[in-house]
mmCIF file of all heavy atoms in Angstrom:
data_model
loop_
_atom_site.group_PDB
_atom_site.id
_atom_site.type_symbol
_atom_site.label_atom_id
_atom_site.label_comp_id
_atom_site.label_asym_id
_atom_site.label_seq_id
_atom_site.Cartn_x
_atom_site.Cartn_y
_atom_site.Cartn_z
ATOM 1 N N PHE A 1 -108.683 19.774 38.923
ATOM 2 C CA PHE A 1 -108.448 18.457 39.517
ATOM 3 C C PHE A 1 -109.774 17.727 39.735
ATOM 4 O O PHE A 1 -109.909 16.541 39.419
ATOM 5 C CB PHE A 1 -107.706 18.607 40.845
ATOM 6 C CG PHE A 1 -107.575 17.325 41.616
ATOM 7 C CD1 PHE A 1 -106.606 16.387 41.274
ATOM 8 C CD2 PHE A 1 -108.427 17.047 42.683
ATOM 9 C CE1 PHE A 1 -106.495 15.185 41.970
ATOM 10 C CE2 PHE A 1 -108.324 15.855 43.389
ATOM 11 C CZ PHE A 1 -107.350 14.925 43.032
ATOM 12 N N LEU A 2 -110.766 18.440 40.252
ATOM 13 C CA LEU A 2 -112.061 17.821 40.532
ATOM 14 C C LEU A 2 -112.772 17.358 39.269
ATOM 15 O O LEU A 2 -113.528 16.374 39.295
ATOM 16 C CB LEU A 2 -112.953 18.801 41.295
ATOM 17 C CG LEU A 2 -112.527 19.127 42.727
ATOM 18 C CD1 LEU A 2 -113.415 20.221 43.309
ATOM 19 C CD2 LEU A 2 -112.572 17.882 43.613
ATOM 20 N N VAL A 3 -112.559 18.056 38.159
ATOM 21 C CA VAL A 3 -113.223 17.660 36.910
ATOM 22 C C VAL A 3 -112.309 16.809 36.026
ATOM 23 O O VAL A 3 -112.594 16.577 34.853
ATOM 24 C CB VAL A 3 -113.735 18.897 36.124
ATOM 25 C CG1 VAL A 3 -114.826 19.605 36.899
ATOM 26 C CG2 VAL A 3 -112.591 19.862 35.780
ATOM 27 N N ALA A 4 -111.201 16.336 36.617
ATOM 28 C CA ALA A 4 -110.289 15.394 35.936
ATOM 29 C C ALA A 4 -109.699 15.968 34.655
ATOM 30 O O ALA A 4 -109.579 15.277 33.640
ATOM 31 C CB ALA A 4 -111.011 14.071 35.662
ATOM 32 N N CYS A 5 -109.326 17.252 34.718
ATOM 33 C CA CYS A 5 -108.673 17.912 33.582
ATOM 34 C C CYS A 5 -107.304 18.419 34.029
ATOM 35 O O CYS A 5 -107.165 19.582 34.451
ATOM 36 C CB CYS A 5 -109.514 19.073 33.067
ATOM 37 S SG CYS A 5 -111.043 18.584 32.236
ATOM 38 N N PRO A 6 -106.284 17.570 33.978
ATOM 39 C CA PRO A 6 -104.946 18.029 34.361
ATOM 40 C C PRO A 6 -104.479 19.156 33.451
ATOM 41 O O PRO A 6 -104.779 19.172 32.256
ATOM 42 C CB PRO A 6 -104.076 16.779 34.201
ATOM 43 C CG PRO A 6 -104.830 15.895 33.263
ATOM 44 C CD PRO A 6 -106.279 16.178 33.494
ATOM 45 N N VAL A 7 -103.744 20.100 34.022
ATOM 46 C CA VAL A 7 -103.308 21.290 33.289
ATOM 47 C C VAL A 7 -101.797 21.243 33.072
ATOM 48 O O VAL A 7 -101.027 20.983 34.006
ATOM 49 C CB VAL A 7 -103.680 22.573 34.055
ATOM 50 C CG1 VAL A 7 -103.090 23.809 33.369
ATOM 51 C CG2 VAL A 7 -105.199 22.699 34.152
ATOM 52 N N ARG A 8 -101.386 21.505 31.859
ATOM 53 C CA ARG A 8 -99.959 21.599 31.528
ATOM 54 C C ARG A 8 -99.679 22.991 30.992
ATOM 55 O O ARG A 8 -100.349 23.444 30.058
ATOM 56 C CB ARG A 8 -99.569 20.556 30.487
ATOM 57 C CG ARG A 8 -98.080 20.574 30.136
ATOM 58 C CD ARG A 8 -97.772 19.545 29.070
ATOM 59 N NE ARG A 8 -96.342 19.476 28.781
ATOM 60 C CZ ARG A 8 -95.801 18.743 27.815
ATOM 61 N NH1 ARG A 8 -96.586 18.003 27.037
ATOM 62 N NH2 ARG A 8 -94.497 18.724 27.620
ATOM 63 N N VAL A 9 -98.715 23.667 31.578
ATOM 64 C CA VAL A 9 -98.324 25.017 31.154
ATOM 65 C C VAL A 9 -96.891 24.956 30.634
ATOM 66 O O VAL A 9 -95.990 24.457 31.313
ATOM 67 C CB VAL A 9 -98.417 26.011 32.332
ATOM 68 C CG1 VAL A 9 -98.025 27.418 31.864
ATOM 69 C CG2 VAL A 9 -99.823 26.020 32.918
ATOM 70 N N ARG A 10 -96.681 25.463 29.431
ATOM 71 C CA ARG A 10 -95.339 25.493 28.845
ATOM 72 C C ARG A 10 -94.974 26.912 28.439
ATOM 73 O O ARG A 10 -95.841 27.706 28.067
ATOM 74 C CB ARG A 10 -95.263 24.575 27.615
ATOM 75 C CG ARG A 10 -95.500 23.100 27.908
ATOM 76 C CD ARG A 10 -95.396 22.246 26.658
ATOM 77 N NE ARG A 10 -94.074 22.331 26.046
ATOM 78 C CZ ARG A 10 -93.729 21.688 24.925
ATOM 79 N NH1 ARG A 10 -94.619 20.928 24.293
ATOM 80 N NH2 ARG A 10 -92.518 21.816 24.444
ATOM 81 N N GLY A 11 -93.689 27.239 28.498
ATOM 82 C CA GLY A 11 -93.196 28.501 27.975
ATOM 83 C C GLY A 11 -93.200 29.653 28.947
ATOM 84 O O GLY A 11 -93.054 30.817 28.534
ATOM 85 N N LYS A 12 -93.308 29.383 30.252
ATOM 86 C CA LYS A 12 -93.288 30.481 31.224
ATOM 87 C C LYS A 12 -91.968 31.241 31.201
ATOM 88 O O LYS A 12 -91.916 32.419 31.562
ATOM 89 C CB LYS A 12 -93.574 29.951 32.635
ATOM 90 C CG LYS A 12 -95.007 29.491 32.835
ATOM 91 C CD LYS A 12 -95.325 29.210 34.285
ATOM 92 C CE LYS A 12 -94.627 27.958 34.772
ATOM 93 N NZ LYS A 12 -95.026 27.620 36.166
ATOM 94 N N LYS A 13 -90.938 30.588 30.734
ATOM 95 C CA LYS A 13 -89.619 31.224 30.651
ATOM 96 C C LYS A 13 -89.606 32.375 29.643
ATOM 97 O O LYS A 13 -88.689 33.212 29.658
ATOM 98 C CB LYS A 13 -88.557 30.199 30.262
ATOM 99 C CG LYS A 13 -88.701 29.644 28.850
ATOM 100 C CD LYS A 13 -87.604 28.654 28.527
ATOM 101 C CE LYS A 13 -87.626 28.207 27.075
ATOM 102 N NZ LYS A 13 -88.887 27.585 26.660
ATOM 103 N N ASN A 14 -90.602 32.445 28.783
ATOM 104 C CA ASN A 14 -90.652 33.518 27.784
ATOM 105 C C ASN A 14 -91.098 34.862 28.373
ATOM 106 O O ASN A 14 -91.051 35.876 27.686
ATOM 107 C CB ASN A 14 -91.586 33.117 26.636
ATOM 108 C CG ASN A 14 -90.985 32.020 25.767
ATOM 109 O OD1 ASN A 14 -89.790 32.055 25.451
ATOM 110 N ND2 ASN A 14 -91.790 31.043 25.393
ATOM 111 N N PHE A 15 -91.518 34.855 29.637
ATOM 112 C CA PHE A 15 -91.876 36.098 30.315
ATOM 113 C C PHE A 15 -90.659 36.640 31.052
ATOM 114 O O PHE A 15 -90.152 36.005 31.977
ATOM 115 C CB PHE A 15 -93.005 35.851 31.325
ATOM 116 C CG PHE A 15 -94.348 35.602 30.696
ATOM 117 C CD1 PHE A 15 -94.673 34.341 30.221
ATOM 118 C CD2 PHE A 15 -95.279 36.623 30.591
ATOM 119 C CE1 PHE A 15 -95.912 34.092 29.654
ATOM 120 C CE2 PHE A 15 -96.522 36.391 30.022
ATOM 121 C CZ PHE A 15 -96.841 35.118 29.545
ATOM 122 N N GLU A 16 -90.188 37.793 30.634
ATOM 123 C CA GLU A 16 -89.062 38.446 31.320
ATOM 124 C C GLU A 16 -89.586 39.130 32.574
ATOM 125 O O GLU A 16 -90.545 39.905 32.518
ATOM 126 C CB GLU A 16 -88.413 39.469 30.395
ATOM 127 C CG GLU A 16 -87.217 40.186 30.994
ATOM 128 C CD GLU A 16 -86.657 41.229 30.061
ATOM 129 O OE1 GLU A 16 -86.777 41.047 28.824
ATOM 130 O OE2 GLU A 16 -86.117 42.244 30.564
ATOM 131 N N LYS A 17 -88.969 38.835 33.695
ATOM 132 C CA LYS A 17 -89.433 39.385 34.965
ATOM 133 C C LYS A 17 -89.386 40.913 34.925
ATOM 134 O O LYS A 17 -88.422 41.517 34.464
ATOM 135 C CB LYS A 17 -88.563 38.866 36.109
ATOM 136 C CG LYS A 17 -89.106 39.221 37.481
ATOM 137 C CD LYS A 17 -88.290 38.562 38.585
ATOM 138 C CE LYS A 17 -88.854 38.900 39.953
ATOM 139 N NZ LYS A 17 -88.089 38.257 41.056
ATOM 140 N N GLY A 18 -90.453 41.535 35.405
ATOM 141 C CA GLY A 18 -90.524 42.987 35.466
ATOM 142 C C GLY A 18 -90.984 43.651 34.185
ATOM 143 O O GLY A 18 -91.012 44.887 34.112
ATOM 144 N N ARG A 19 -91.359 42.863 33.174
ATOM 145 C CA ARG A 19 -91.798 43.438 31.906
ATOM 146 C C ARG A 19 -93.244 43.042 31.622
ATOM 147 O O ARG A 19 -93.654 41.910 31.870
ATOM 148 C CB ARG A 19 -90.912 42.950 30.764
ATOM 149 C CG ARG A 19 -91.235 43.613 29.426
ATOM 150 C CD ARG A 19 -90.134 43.405 28.418
ATOM 151 N NE ARG A 19 -90.315 44.273 27.270
ATOM 152 C CZ ARG A 19 -89.480 44.342 26.239
ATOM 153 N NH1 ARG A 19 -88.380 43.586 26.239
ATOM 154 N NH2 ARG A 19 -89.716 45.163 25.237
ATOM 155 N N ALA A 20 -94.008 43.975 31.118
ATOM 156 C CA ALA A 20 -95.407 43.709 30.790
ATOM 157 C C ALA A 20 -95.522 43.226 29.347
ATOM 158 O O ALA A 20 -94.783 43.667 28.462
ATOM 159 C CB ALA A 20 -96.246 44.972 30.986
ATOM 160 N N TYR A 21 -96.479 42.332 29.118
ATOM 161 C CA TYR A 21 -96.726 41.783 27.780
ATOM 162 C C TYR A 21 -98.217 41.806 27.474
ATOM 163 O O TYR A 21 -99.058 41.807 28.383
ATOM 164 C CB TYR A 21 -96.233 40.339 27.683
ATOM 165 C CG TYR A 21 -94.742 40.160 27.814
ATOM 166 C CD1 TYR A 21 -94.171 39.917 29.061
ATOM 167 C CD2 TYR A 21 -93.899 40.224 26.712
ATOM 168 C CE1 TYR A 21 -92.806 39.754 29.210
ATOM 169 C CE2 TYR A 21 -92.532 40.064 26.843
ATOM 170 C CZ TYR A 21 -91.988 39.821 28.091
ATOM 171 O OH TYR A 21 -90.626 39.666 28.229
ATOM 172 N N ILE A 22 -98.526 41.780 26.189
ATOM 173 C CA ILE A 22 -99.878 41.500 25.735
ATOM 174 C C ILE A 22 -99.897 40.033 25.334
ATOM 175 O O ILE A 22 -99.124 39.605 24.472
ATOM 176 C CB ILE A 22 -100.259 42.398 24.537
ATOM 177 C CG1 ILE A 22 -100.265 43.869 24.961
ATOM 178 C CG2 ILE A 22 -101.629 41.990 23.985
ATOM 179 C CD1 ILE A 22 -100.348 44.839 23.796
ATOM 180 N N VAL A 23 -100.740 39.259 25.990
ATOM 181 C CA VAL A 23 -100.829 37.819 25.732
ATOM 182 C C VAL A 23 -102.062 37.562 24.867
ATOM 183 O O VAL A 23 -103.186 37.863 25.273
ATOM 184 C CB VAL A 23 -100.925 37.025 27.047
ATOM 185 C CG1 VAL A 23 -100.958 35.518 26.761
ATOM 186 C CG2 VAL A 23 -99.764 37.369 27.973
ATOM 187 N N THR A 24 -101.847 37.031 23.670
ATOM 188 C CA THR A 24 -102.956 36.766 22.756
ATOM 189 C C THR A 24 -103.250 35.268 22.747
ATOM 190 O O THR A 24 -102.373 34.458 22.470
ATOM 191 C CB THR A 24 -102.652 37.242 21.329
ATOM 192 O OG1 THR A 24 -101.437 36.645 20.861
ATOM 193 C CG2 THR A 24 -102.507 38.758 21.289
#
């Protein structure tokens, strides 16, 4: 916010709760 770079995150629904993933 301070450096004026708004962040957009998409696709969080692709993480199944309770399961581990390797994120590349």
Side-chain angles (χ1 to χ4, degrees):
F1 173 79
L2 291 174
V3 295
C5 290
V7 174
R8 182 182 184 186
V9 181
R10 297 181 61 181
K12 290 190 289 185
K13 67 179 187 302
N14 289 318
F15 288 82
E16 181 183 330
K17 189 174 181 179
R19 185 165 193 178
Y21 295 92
I22 297 168
V23 182
T24 56

